[in-house]
Amino acid sequence: MSDRELREQFINYFDDDKYKFENFCKIFLKWLDFDDIQVTQRRGDGGIDLKCNKKEIEQLDLNTIEYVVQAKCYAINNKVGPSDIRDFRGSKTDMSVRKIFITTSDYTKGAIAEAEDTNQPITLINGSQLIDFCKSHGDVMFDVKYYFSVNKLNDLFLNEENERKMDNIKIIERRITKNDVRARILRIPTEYKELTKSKSKYKISINGENYKDYNISSDKSYFGGVTKYYKDFISNVDFEEAQSIWNYDENSDTFNVVIK
């Protein structure tokens, strides 16, 4: 099957609900190792469909970079133009926030030139690149090489729906990386940063222990004072990553966190 036929088959999957493409992009960004990925509300999103974070260079423990994403499920011949790129660049975000535009179609030459603006370049991902990446995940996307499996795509979204249900009851899972362990820090999920941005301390119960105040970093991105919970990770030479599972209690305005 040709690239164009695969793209058409993929686009047709979203015919009944174009917004579902945004949730596919969430799965896609997870595969690319982005963290704290959120699909924004459909109304009043200001042209921003997803938000996420990523370490620029994980090995050097550089600061986490914030990204915003616009996702457009367009027919193959409906190319993204320069005005779409300008509108996205003009969305209300800090200049330090990086931008990614993802489409199932492609970009005009004008759009590509517009995205290369040196003041705030925008990363472009087109339909052909999406299909190539899907091929690298063939066992979860296709029946045979290469025909998209509706059942397998449905399973992807079922898993995503289950995760959204977990979000709705305010349970969030976040990776703990090697660099987090080296720095002895517990990173705050993006979903909870609004709760902590005006505070210097927050009450947390970790692994069922009594609540205590943990200091918040000046950039409001992590808690300190968690070394004792990392002892097993620190002593394990083969350690790669762990998880922190967060549960916010609205009544007491506290966090319960399990580190495992």
Side-chain angles (χ1 to χ4, degrees):
M1 184 175 286
S2 69
D3 173 88
R4 184 183 181 90
E5 288 172 321
L6 275 177
R7 287 167 65 192
E8 288 176 342
Q9 194 181 72
F10 182 61
I11 294 166
N12 289 342
Y13 177 79
F14 301 101
D15 276 350
D16 293 335
D17 185 1
K18 294 297 184 185
Y19 287 110
K20 202 171 185 178
F21 180 65
E22 295 173 9
N23 287 301
F24 171 80
C25 288
K26 181 177 181 180
I27 297 167
F28 172 67
L29 291 167
K30 283 181 182 177
W31 286 341
L32 294 177
D33 291 328
F34 282 84
D35 287 315
D36 297 337
I37 308 161
Q38 304 172 60
V39 177
T40 63
Q41 295 182 352
R42 294 182 182 182
R43 293 182 179 179
D45 62 13
I48 297 170
D49 298 318
L50 301 100
K51 296 179 180 180
C52 53
N53 295 327
K54 200 173 198 292
K55 282 277 192 178
E56 189 67 355
I57 303 177
E58 184 78 29
Q59 292 84 352
L60 298 182
D61 196 23
L62 296 185
N63 290 334
T64 298
I65 304 298
E66 293 184 38
Y67 287 80
V68 294
V69 180
Q70 188 164 127
K72 295 298 180 188
C73 186
Y74 285 162
I76 288 178
N77 294 326
N78 184 12
K79 292 186 177 182
V80 175
S83 62
D84 298 305
I85 302 299
R86 283 193 294 271
D87 290 345
F88 182 39
R89 178 176 286 112
S91 58
K92 293 181 180 179
T93 55
D94 189 282
M95 284 293 287
S96 64
V97 176
R98 300 190 182 181
K99 291 181 166 68
I100 303 172
F101 202 119
I102 304 174
T103 184
T104 51
S105 62
D106 206 345
Y107 302 91
T108 65
K109 289 182 179 179
I112 294 170
E114 184 68 35
E116 292 171 350
D117 183 295
T118 54
N119 292 321
Q120 194 179 33
I122 295 175
T123 299
L124 304 181
I125 298 174
N126 65 19
S128 291
Q129 291 168 309
L130 281 177
I131 293 301
D132 284 343
F133 196 83
C134 286
K135 287 179 178 178
S136 71
H137 287 72
D139 57 334
V140 296
M141 301 289 290
F142 302 96
D143 277 333
V144 295
K145 294 187 177 180
Y146 286 106
Y147 292 91
F148 274 108
S149 167
V150 170
N151 289 335
K152 288 185 176 181
L153 281 165
N154 286 341
D155 286 344
L156 280 178
F157 287 105
L158 179 61
N159 292 337
E160 187 61 30
E161 178 63 26
N162 289 336
E163 288 191 19
R164 284 204 300 276
K165 287 178 181 177
M166 294 291 282
D167 287 350
N168 289 337
I169 58 173
K170 298 183 174 62
I171 295 176
I172 304 296
E173 185 171 328
R174 198 191 194 291
R175 286 194 308 156
I176 297 173
T177 68
K178 279 185 178 180
N179 288 323
D180 293 338
V181 171
R182 289 192 194 108
R184 314 306 201 253
I185 60 175
L186 180 63
R187 294 199 179 274
I188 301 169
T190 300
E191 294 88 341
Y192 291 138
K193 285 186 178 177
E194 282 298 311
L195 296 172
T196 60
K197 72 177 183 180
S198 62
K199 300 185 179 184
S200 60
K201 296 181 179 181
Y202 217 96
K203 285 195 179 298
I204 310 176
S205 168
I206 299 180
N207 290 354
E209 295 187 1
N210 291 335
Y211 287 96
K212 61 175 282 189
D213 288 326
Y214 286 84
N215 293 323
I216 302 173
S217 63
S218 58
D219 65 357
K220 309 301 181 185
S221 65
Y222 62 83
F223 290 107
V226 296
T227 300
K228 76 172 188 175
Y229 301 104
Y230 288 173
K231 284 183 178 178
D232 289 343
F233 307 147
I234 293 167
S235 62
N236 181 2
V237 295
D238 296 321
F239 175 79
E240 290 297 329
E241 65 175 51
Q243 282 76 41
S244 59
I245 300 171
W246 299 65
N247 188 329
Y248 172 63
D249 187 328
E250 288 183 347
N251 296 323
S252 60
D253 190 26
T254 56
F255 290 120
N256 290 279
V257 180
V258 175
I259 294 174
K260 62 179 185 177

